[in-house]
Amino acid sequence: MKIMERHISRVRAGQWATVESVEKQYDAIEQPWSFPPKRRYRALYGGQSREFYVTEREWEGMANREAALGSAFGSPEWLALAQELDQAIESLQIEIFQVLD
């Protein structure tokens, strides 16, 4: 069963450059662990402020996601990036949806 994972973050004032830098570093190190590519969005108009940042990626299934995250959690480099990103965002909400055909 395919799933879509969505992260909805509120970026701290003045931290967009940090978020962009960390995301590029994530892209480079996640490839060997079979992370699918992310789609990235920044709110422009609507109910959210411009400080909202959304990433989405589609997985072949929960087992694939769990295996990739298991590898990442064993990496000091990945964990350091997670800490750096945590300092740049105020809040994070993670959602997982079943992909319907």
Side-chain angles (χ1 to χ4, degrees):
M1 166 182 63
K2 286 186 179 182
I3 60 167
M4 187 270 292
E5 174 184 14
R6 178 183 296 152
H7 291 212
I8 304 167
S9 305
R10 184 178 184 106
V11 177
R12 294 183 193 280
Q15 293 296 309
W16 277 99
T18 299
V19 169
E20 291 173 6
S21 171
V22 169
E23 288 289 353
K24 287 179 184 175
Q25 293 174 72
Y26 269 134
D27 289 345
I29 67 170
E30 289 177 342
Q31 289 178 353
W33 302 316
S34 300
F35 276 77
K38 289 180 189 171
R39 294 187 66 177
R40 296 177 172 91
Y41 310 91
R42 182 175 183 178
L44 291 177
Y45 183 80
Q48 305 294 344
S49 79
R50 288 188 36 86
E51 301 308 318
F52 276 85
Y53 174 60
V54 177
T55 61
E56 294 179 348
R57 62 170 107 216
E58 193 169 299
W59 297 87
E60 290 300 315
M62 285 295 287
N64 302 76
R65 179 180 180 271
E66 291 168 1
L69 286 174
S71 297
F73 288 159
S75 165
E77 185 179 14
W78 194 89
L79 293 173
L81 287 175
Q83 289 179 346
E84 187 175 352
L85 186 61
D86 189 49
Q87 297 299 312
I89 61 173
E90 288 181 25
S91 63
L92 170 65
Q93 176 178 319
I94 299 174
E95 303 173 340
I96 296 178
F97 296 87
Q98 178 183 358
V99 176
L100 303 175
D101 293 328

